[in-house]
Amino acid sequence: MADELPSMSLKAIGTVRSEIKQAVMLDSGEIISEIVIDSSLTEALDGLEGFSHIIVLYWMHRLASDEIPLKIHPRGRHEVPLRGLFATRTPNRPNRIGKATVRLLQRQGNILRVKGLDALDGSPVLDIKPYIPGYDSADDAEVPQWITKR
Amino acid sequence: MADELPSMSLKAIGTVRSEIKQAVMLDSGEIISEIVIDSSLTEALDGLEGFSHIIVLYWMHRLASDEIPLKIHPRGRHEVPLRGLFATRTPNRPNRIGKATVRLLQRQGNILRVKGLDALDGSPVLDIKPYIPGYDSADDAEVPQWITKR
C-alpha cells in the first residue's frame, strides 16, 4: 500500500520570529512571537483581525535526528510507557507539520503578532486559519491520564 | 522575500474513506468516516485510543480551479464582503492542508473510525494528532459576526 500513497510539495508562506531559539520543554503560553507572511500575500490576511485566535500550521524544521521511531516516551518522560508517535505531539513525525492555536494580538500589514506560539525561531509557516469555536474545539473531550499528569 | 521561503515535500500516511464524494456545503457533524493509515505505521497509532478526539491534517486534493484568489466571499456568500483567504477556511489556499477536529469512535489496527470529518473521500492524510483541551482550544475565542450568521 505504501507505494500508492501520494506525495505533494509545499511552499512556505512566511516565517516565525520568536525568542524560542532551541527546542526546550518550556511553557510557551506567555511568549509573544511574530509571524511574517510573504508580502505578496498581505492582502490574503484582510479580515483576520476580526478573530481573537488563529491556527498556525508550521514546519518543525529543526530536529535532533532523522530517524522517526514509531513509539516514544511522551515528552521524554521515561516513567510513561511507550506510545505510538501519533498519540503524542512529538515534532519527530512522518510529516513535520506543527499546529498551534494562538491569540492574535495584532495584525500590521503582513506581520501577525501572536501570543502562545511554541514554534522555534525561523520556522517556516505553512498556513494561517481563523480559529472557529465549535468547529475547532470539542467541549466534551477526554484525554488519558498521562497527558494530564505533568 | 518570496525566493527565500523554503519548499518541503510531504508523503501521505493514509487515506480518507468517506461518503462525501464531492465538495458540497453540508454539515459534516454526523458523518462517519474511516481513516486508513499505511500499515507500516500501525504501531505508531498505539495509545491514540485513550483520546476521545483527534486532529486530522489532510490534503484537500480536489479543487475546482488552480487559481488562488487572495480575496473571496466566504463560503460563496456574496452578501459577505470580500475577505482575505487566510481569514476563511476555503480549501483553495497556497498549501492545501485541511485541519479537522473529530471524535475518535474506534481504532482497529491501522483503521480509525471517526465522526465529523469533512474531508472528501480519497483525501490523502498527512498527520494525526491527539486533541488536547486547553492546548488546542481557546475558551474565550471571539469571531466576527459574518462567521456566526449562517
Side-chain angles (χ1 to χ4, degrees):
Chain A
M1 175 175 165
D3 291 341
E4 295 170 26
L5 288 171
S7 298
M8 50 281 288
S9 59
L10 301 176
K11 175 116 168 56
I13 61 165
T15 310
V16 171
R17 282 189 198 150
S18 172
E19 63 189 79
I20 311 181
K21 306 292 182 194
Q22 49 182 313
V24 283
M25 302 272 176
L26 49 74
D27 181 2
S28 58
E30 297 299 313
I31 285 180
I32 294 178
S33 319
E34 282 182 352
I35 298 171
V36 184
I37 300 295
D38 190 84
S39 54
S40 68
L41 296 168
T42 302
E43 212 184 321
L45 296 169
D46 289 357
L48 200 62
E49 309 89 349
F51 295 85
S52 66
H53 291 75
I54 61 174
I55 294 168
V56 182
L57 300 182
Y58 61 96
W59 193 252
M60 298 185 282
H61 66 310
R62 265 195 281 160
L63 281 185
S65 159
D66 278 345
E67 274 178 66
I68 305 175
L70 293 185
K71 291 194 164 193
I72 59 161
H73 293 288
R75 294 180 155 241
R77 291 160 58 205
H78 287 272
E79 74 277 15
V80 178
L82 287 167
R83 305 289 175 196
L85 75 92
F86 294 126
T88 77
R89 299 293 281 252
T90 177
N92 205 2
R93 27 203 335 120
N95 295 310
R96 304 178 191 175
I97 306 173
K99 179 237 154 231
T101 298
V102 300
R103 179 175 285 276
L104 177 61
L105 299 173
Q106 191 187 33
R107 176 217 166 181
Q108 205 160 27
N110 65 326
I111 297 178
L112 305 173
R113 217 172 132 79
V114 300
K115 184 173 170 181
L117 181 59
D118 54 5
L120 293 182
D121 185 52
S123 296
V125 175
L126 304 175
D127 200 6
I128 301 287
K129 299 181 192 286
Y131 174 84
I132 302 175
Y135 181 74
D136 291 307
S137 61
D139 287 343
D140 53 347
E142 284 165 27
V143 299
Q145 210 182 19
W146 59 266
I147 284 283
T148 43
K149 274 196 193 160
R150 290 207 172 154
Chain B
M1 177 175 164
D3 292 341
E4 297 170 25
L5 289 172
S7 298
M8 51 280 290
S9 59
L10 301 176
K11 175 115 169 55
I13 61 165
T15 311
V16 171
R17 282 189 198 149
S18 171
E19 63 188 80
I20 310 180
K21 307 291 182 195
Q22 49 182 312
V24 285
M25 301 272 176
L26 50 74
D27 182 1
S28 57
E30 296 300 312
I31 285 180
I32 294 177
S33 319
E34 281 182 351
I35 298 171
V36 184
I37 299 295
D38 190 84
S39 53
S40 68
L41 296 169
T42 301
E43 212 185 321
L45 297 169
D46 290 356
L48 200 62
E49 309 90 346
F51 295 85
S52 67
H53 291 75
I54 61 174
I55 294 168
V56 182
L57 300 182
Y58 61 96
W59 192 251
M60 300 186 282
H61 66 309
R62 265 197 281 160
L63 281 184
S65 159
D66 278 345
E67 274 178 68
I68 305 175
L70 293 185
K71 290 193 166 195
I72 58 161
H73 293 288
R75 293 179 154 242
R77 292 161 57 205
H78 288 273
E79 74 277 16
V80 179
L82 287 167
R83 305 290 174 195
L85 76 92
F86 293 127
T88 78
R89 299 294 281 251
T90 177
N92 205 3
R93 29 206 329 123
N95 296 310
R96 304 178 189 175
I97 306 172
K99 180 236 154 233
T101 298
V102 300
R103 180 176 284 275
L104 177 61
L105 300 174
Q106 190 187 33
R107 176 217 165 179
Q108 206 160 27
N110 65 327
I111 298 178
L112 305 174
R113 216 173 133 79
V114 299
K115 184 173 172 183
L117 180 60
D118 54 6
L120 294 182
D121 185 52
S123 297
V125 175
L126 304 176
D127 200 5
I128 301 287
K129 298 180 193 288
Y131 174 83
I132 302 175
Y135 181 74
D136 291 307
S137 61
D139 287 342
D140 53 346
E142 284 166 27
V143 300
Q145 209 181 18
W146 58 267
I147 285 282
T148 44
K149 272 196 194 159
R150 289 208 171 153

